[in-house]
Amino acid sequence: MTTVRINASDAVSVETAALIIGVHTTPEGPRPAPGGEGLDQALDGRLAAILTTMGFAGKPEEVAKIPTFGALPAPVAVVVGLGDAPEGDYDPETLRRAAGAAVRSLAGTASAALALPARTAAEAEAVALGGLLGAYGFTRYRTTGDRKEPVGELAVLSGAAGAEEAVARAATLADAVTLVRDLVNTPPSDLWPARFAEIVQETGGGTGLSVEVLDEVALKEDGYGGIVGVGQGSVNPPRLVRVAYSHPEATKKVAFVGKGITFDSGGLSLKPAASMDWMKSDMGGAGAVFGALVAIARLGLPVNAVGYLCLAENMPSGSAQRPSDVLRTYSGKTVEVLDTDAEGRLVLVDGIARAIQDEPDVIIDVATLTGAQIVALGWRTAGVMSNDDALREEVVRIAGEQGEGAWGMPLPAELRKGLDSAVADIANLQPERWGSMLAAGIFLREFVPEGVRWAHIDMAGPAFNKGEPHGYTPKGGTGAITRTLVAVAEHYAGNGASTRTV
């Protein structure tokens, strides 16, 4: 596990295995950003000439390594591009991505010092968080080959007031995201619903969270027909996990509901093989909810928060639910199952119905719900839908402030008719492909009573990076939306005051 600390030393004197500085693009060539001037001085003002010779321009996240030839205690300097210099404060996401890209390039290195702009506590937090997230590596199952461990220790060079507390906060957030990434990356042979529930009990209990687990018997007895129906085809039975945090000074309550399909084969409506290998990530919503609750508790936010992890394994077998089955959900509404691969919404509506009983000020569900989200918005931007326009825009804004891409999407009234069923209250799928991300949101909205503020985040793409690493985002599980949920809780902890950027 990578650790981080504040160091008031400057770039010229800090003892470390690698020094990281930022560089801006200018018409005259690359120029060091605040914090990196010492390297240029140590190299007798030749940094720009060296970088220009190397073809380094300082574009965002561009990385180069240069030897210091004994001019500094650090034998290697890592230069990372920051693009054009800002007129005022640095954008936190620019610093996070730069720190992440630089630290990623140092896997296998014992230590690194980040001499990126950290003139304020907010800048120091952004640098620390980006560095910690960039240091992530999932090597649990590697026994041979490239098994480079992440950087062991990071030092953020800053003398800003409040920097110590800001960096400690960044470490808490990074720990939460790391927890989620590890869960998403764990193969389904080692993460089935009951095991996921055990991990929540083991981890949550040590952070002051209360944890309640409903097994398959309790789920059936209590009428959670959606979760039971999805999970009945697997030898690994489903679970519903309730995780709760309370604070004596809280005046608001938030509820988060996460889709937790530990593996999604599609059920009897079997997925193509090419679409199945990364379906271990289909529990990313539940992971994000759990990670957020852990961070909320460790930060001691003055808000009450409850999370529901709707856990099931969607498998084909002689006991699996069939297309044309009718499920009676926890809300009492009945659903005709037209496609067993539209299973995420079935478990979510049970979790949403249960969360309503907690009488929260807001309910947000998070799910890797539809391939249509990727078609519409790509791999890095989540879709946000809501029964309340102001809440939708609030969530989009908060996500953007955390550097987690999100875009507000409508719930067109005309799509509701496509969910009509001849035998039940509603069908789980519309017959046409068009607008299917929106239709899934409309399906969920049907289970939210009038007057309950609810938002839905479809993060099918952002939860799992199938491409190359970028910024502080690794290949595989990303931990997406975890920080957004923490920031939502922080927003309500301030009774609706504007959220802090993390």
Side-chain angles (χ1 to χ4, degrees):
M1 177 70 73
T2 304
T3 61
V4 67
R5 59 186 175 86
I6 282 289
N7 189 325
S9 301
D10 57 27
V12 176
S13 59
V14 65
E15 297 280 348
T16 185
L19 176 71
I20 298 170
I21 74 159
V23 168
H24 289 299
T25 56
T26 74
E28 294 77 31
R31 292 291 182 271
E37 303 93 340
L39 175 62
D40 188 41
Q41 294 166 6
L43 296 175
D44 298 326
R46 292 176 296 170
L47 179 61
I50 292 170
L51 294 176
T52 300
T53 300
M54 296 172 63
F56 184 94
K59 294 180 291 185
E61 300 178 43
E62 186 180 7
V63 175
K65 295 180 182 178
I66 58 174
T68 63
F69 299 109
L72 298 177
V76 175
V78 178
V79 182
V80 60
L82 294 170
D84 295 335
E87 294 184 2
D89 293 338
Y90 279 82
D91 172 44
E93 183 65 4
T94 297
L95 295 178
R96 285 192 288 259
R97 292 184 181 183
V103 171
R104 271 197 303 105
S105 74
L106 289 170
T109 304
S111 63
L114 291 145
L116 292 169
R119 304 163 300 178
T120 65
E123 289 180 353
E125 181 177 325
V127 169
L129 182 56
L132 288 168
L133 294 179
Y136 177 80
F138 189 73
T139 60
R140 185 183 306 169
Y141 295 91
R142 288 190 179 275
T143 60
T144 60
D146 183 13
R147 198 179 186 278
K148 289 183 179 179
E149 295 296 331
V151 176
E153 181 183 80
L154 297 177
V156 176
L157 305 189
S158 177
E164 290 274 3
E165 296 81 0
V167 167
R169 185 173 186 280
T172 297
L173 292 170
D175 284 348
V177 174
T178 294
L179 171 63
V180 181
R181 288 175 174 179
D182 283 351
L183 287 168
V184 171
N185 286 328
T186 299
S189 56
D190 287 343
L191 189 71
W192 57 96
R195 178 59 189 140
F196 197 150
E198 289 173 355
I199 292 171
V200 175
Q201 290 174 311
E202 294 162 2
T203 307
T207 58
L209 297 171
S210 65
V211 180
E212 176 188 358
V213 179
L214 297 184
D215 64 14
E216 69 274 24
V217 175
L219 289 169
K220 191 169 184 178
E221 288 178 350
D222 293 347
Y224 291 91
I227 298 175
V228 170
V230 172
Q232 71 188 39
S234 174
V235 296
N236 298 309
R239 296 288 187 268
L240 177 64
V241 182
R242 182 181 188 271
V243 187
Y245 162 79
S246 61
H247 191 283
E249 299 175 12
T251 60
K252 299 285 187 179
K253 179 186 288 186
V254 295
F256 303 137
V257 181
K259 173 187 174 183
I261 306 300
T262 56
F263 185 73
D264 183 19
S265 70
L268 291 179
S269 305
L270 197 66
K271 291 180 182 291
S275 301
M276 213 184 293
D277 65 316
W278 58 295
M279 283 299 102
K280 64 181 182 180
S281 68
D282 215 18
M283 40 58 63
V289 168
F290 177 46
L293 264 292
V294 169
I296 290 165
R298 288 178 174 166
L299 292 171
L301 298 183
V303 66
N304 293 331
V306 59
Y308 286 93
L309 317 184
C310 308
L311 309 178
E313 188 176 60
N314 188 26
M315 298 290 283
S317 74
S319 62
Q321 66 175 347
R322 295 146 292 231
S324 78
D325 277 357
V326 174
L327 307 178
R328 185 175 297 277
T329 66
Y330 187 72
S331 69
K333 288 181 180 289
T334 57
V335 180
E336 182 183 12
V337 179
L338 298 182
D339 189 324
T340 64
D341 195 26
E343 85 298 330
R345 63 202 71 183
L346 300 177
V347 302
L348 283 176
V349 296
D350 277 351
I352 290 170
R354 176 61 185 85
I356 289 167
Q357 296 180 353
D358 290 302
E359 299 182 345
D361 293 277
V362 63
I363 296 175
I364 298 177
D365 77 71
V366 191
T368 50
L369 203 64
T370 67
Q373 177 271 312
I374 302 170
V375 173
L377 297 173
W379 288 96
R380 301 190 190 182
T381 304
V384 181
M385 289 144 271
S386 179
N387 61 357
D388 181 304
D389 290 348
L391 175 61
R392 182 190 64 231
E393 297 312 307
E394 178 181 286
V395 172
V396 169
R397 175 182 59 79
I398 290 173
E401 289 171 349
Q402 315 322 306
E404 299 192 305
W407 195 259
M409 301 298 290
L411 294 174
E414 67 272 13
L415 294 181
R416 172 58 184 87
K417 185 171 178 55
L419 296 171
D420 284 348
S421 166
V423 298
D425 296 328
I426 193 170
N428 78 325
L429 196 72
Q430 66 171 2
E432 295 184 353
R433 294 172 52 204
W434 321 119
S436 53
M437 172 176 62
L438 311 182
I442 290 169
F443 176 89
L444 296 174
R445 186 184 61 184
E446 289 292 303
F447 293 81
V448 181
E450 193 74 28
V452 175
R453 300 182 76 222
W454 156 84
H456 161 57
I457 303 176
D458 189 339
M459 58 164 193
F464 196 82
N465 177 24
K466 296 185 72 177
E468 292 302 310
H470 55 88
Y472 53 77
T473 301
K475 188 179 181 69
T478 65
I481 304 301
T482 306
R483 291 184 291 126
T484 292
L485 296 183
V486 175
V488 166
E490 195 164 39
H491 176 71
Y492 282 88
N495 297 320
S498 60
T499 187
R500 172 181 173 172
T501 300
V502 297

